[in-house]
DNA sequence: AATAGAACATGACAATTATCATCTTAATAA
DNA sequence: TTATTAAGATGATAATTGTCATGTTCTATT
């Protein structure tokens, strides 16, 4: 059996609908490579012509503003796909994808995906559902941006990061984000983000272990977040 | 030939991929009805179990916040579909859909849509592309919320409304939104929205004709919006 | 036409958040 | 190790935006 069969992406993403035969085709058409922390998988405006499977590492989808701030739209972790939207829409990428932690990815060319669309209905449906999931999240985040304060959004984001990525052995968040990146997720200035982290630290909601963050009072954070 | 064949929704939405036979099935399974301005098609949390075709009128998808403010996520006009996301995801509606102008809609039950998914690949692809389009817009609006000022977002929104809905014979915007709704789109307080409209009026960017809005200097508005 | 209620408008003020400056600490390269 | 740069931290201040109060103008209904 080839490697794709046991791959985490195959287990977690839309690709789980593919049968043995299709998986073999997939394995033959894919290309695997590594992306170092800070490097880009693709940049806004590029035509990607395929989909990226994230085997390992963490990526961010973001857009640079005129004033130089990077707004992070989504984090992508191992097991997920990247670049479906622009591939499906036949458009250049709307966002830039960069590695936040060293990544290992496979690239699947568009032609192959289209074949799967045509031959495997469940695959199409899975893909559609995954885009719908992204849409729902995006809408809810949009609403949160307007209806919640920066403090609430920070609390919410810390909880999300905890849920999605888990914690290290020292109980700190596993994803290593700079304060600037964290600010880019919640949509605020880096200084504001740092200030609030200090506040949270002082009021014992979190603990700052060097640059890492440990959630100390999840209940209080939750209460703060959805008020 | 039955009515669906000539329907504007059939011409503009994903439904355009359906063949004659499918259109007949569609016509037999649909139910048509009217929704008056202010009334809801469905509310957040409801299970819709199908898709709405907007034959006429304008609708808004929105979410009510704790403090009573209504954040508008999307406007829907004739020719578009409504409720695909929660149908595809098998989830209750995430947003409330209300009529902003008297609407005429057809409801297509989920079972029928699923049949089309299975029998017609192009239909699936169209639907997927339309969700992708929504996702892209949502992401871009999310970014705009963070990276642009309220003034810029108002300018941007006025231009969008002009593009999407056009103008009446007196050159005012065709969509009739209250100031409160407009504020709900750009994500600000109603008073702030009103104040900025006054400012735009004073600086000759727009003209306030009663409650209606006439764009007077599109170029300046554009410059303001994407700075 | 009179009245009530909604929508619009504007001022005064407060709260939130951004910006700029400066400093400390940590990471990286020579 | 030391130098250099990046990341983190904090204060002071300004700008933006929200909130509350109040008044005006529509609009609909009797």
């Amino acid at each position: 059996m080839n490697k794709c069969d046991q791959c985490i992406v195959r287990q977690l993403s839309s690709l789980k609908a593919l049968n043995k035969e299709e998986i073999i085709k997939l394995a033959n058409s894919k290309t695997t490579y590594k992306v170092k922390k800070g490097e880009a998988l693709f940049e806004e405006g590029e035509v990607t012509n395929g989909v990226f499977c994230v085997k390992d590492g963490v990526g961010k989808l973001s857009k640079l503003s005129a004033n130089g701030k990077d707004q992070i739209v989504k984090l992508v972790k191992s097991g997920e796909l990247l670049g479906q939207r622009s591939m499906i829409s036949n458009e250049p990428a709307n966002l830039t994808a960069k590695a936040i932690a060293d990544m290992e990815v496979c690239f699947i060319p568009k032609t192959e995906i289209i074949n799967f669309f045509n031959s495997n209905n469940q695959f199409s449906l899975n893909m559609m559902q995954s885009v719908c999931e992204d849409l729902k999240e995006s809408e809810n985040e949009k609403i949160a941006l307007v209806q919640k304060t920066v403090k609430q959004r920070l609390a919410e984001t810390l909880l999300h990061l905890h849920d999605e990525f888990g914690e290290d052995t020292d109980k700190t968040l596993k994803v290593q984000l700079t304060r600037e990146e964290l600010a880019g997720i919640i949509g605020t200035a880096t200084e504001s983000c740092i200030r609030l982290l200090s506040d949270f630290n002082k009021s014992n909601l979190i603990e700052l272990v060097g640059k890492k963050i440990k959630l100390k009072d999840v209940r209080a954070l939750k209460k703060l977040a959805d008020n």
Side-chain angles (χ1 to χ4, degrees), chain A residues 64-89:
Chain A
L64 207 65
S65 77
N67 59 37
K69 275 190 195 166
D70 205 34
Q71 167 69 11
I72 297 182
V73 172
K74 190 183 194 285
L75 293 182
V76 189
K77 62 172 187 292
S78 75
E80 295 189 270
L81 299 180
L82 205 71
Q84 317 96 299
R85 204 213 49 80
S86 44
M87 190 208 65
I88 295 169
S89 301

Side-chain angles (χ1 to χ4, degrees), chain A residues 49-53 81-84 87 106-109 113 127:
Chain A
N49 256 312
V51 156
F52 297 87
C53 302
L81 299 180
L82 205 71
Q84 317 96 299
M87 190 208 65
C106 290
F107 177 79
I108 311 174
I113 300 285
M127 187 72 97

Side-chain angles (χ1 to χ4, degrees), chain A residues 33-36 38-54 59-64 70 73-74 76 80-88 91-99 103 105-108:
Chain A
Y33 57 104
K34 295 186 181 205
V35 185
K36 286 214 178 118
E39 287 179 359
L41 274 97
F42 54 81
E43 309 248 8
E44 186 189 342
E46 270 181 34
V47 176
T48 52
N49 256 312
V51 156
F52 297 87
C53 302
V54 181
K60 63 172 177 182
L61 285 165
S62 66
K63 194 161 202 163
L64 207 65
D70 205 34
V73 172
K74 190 183 194 285
V76 189
E80 295 189 270
L81 299 180
L82 205 71
Q84 317 96 299
R85 204 213 49 80
S86 44
M87 190 208 65
I88 295 169
E91 285 174 0
N94 185 40
L95 303 168
T96 294
K98 279 189 181 162
M103 294 175 86
V105 300
C106 290
F107 177 79
I108 311 174

Side-chain angles (χ1 to χ4, degrees), chain A residues 134-147:
Chain A
D134 286 351
L135 177 57
K136 181 186 171 188
E137 245 183 61
S138 175
E139 284 174 348
N140 285 338
E141 281 164 17
K142 210 173 98 181
I143 292 165
L145 275 177
V146 172
Q147 298 185 340

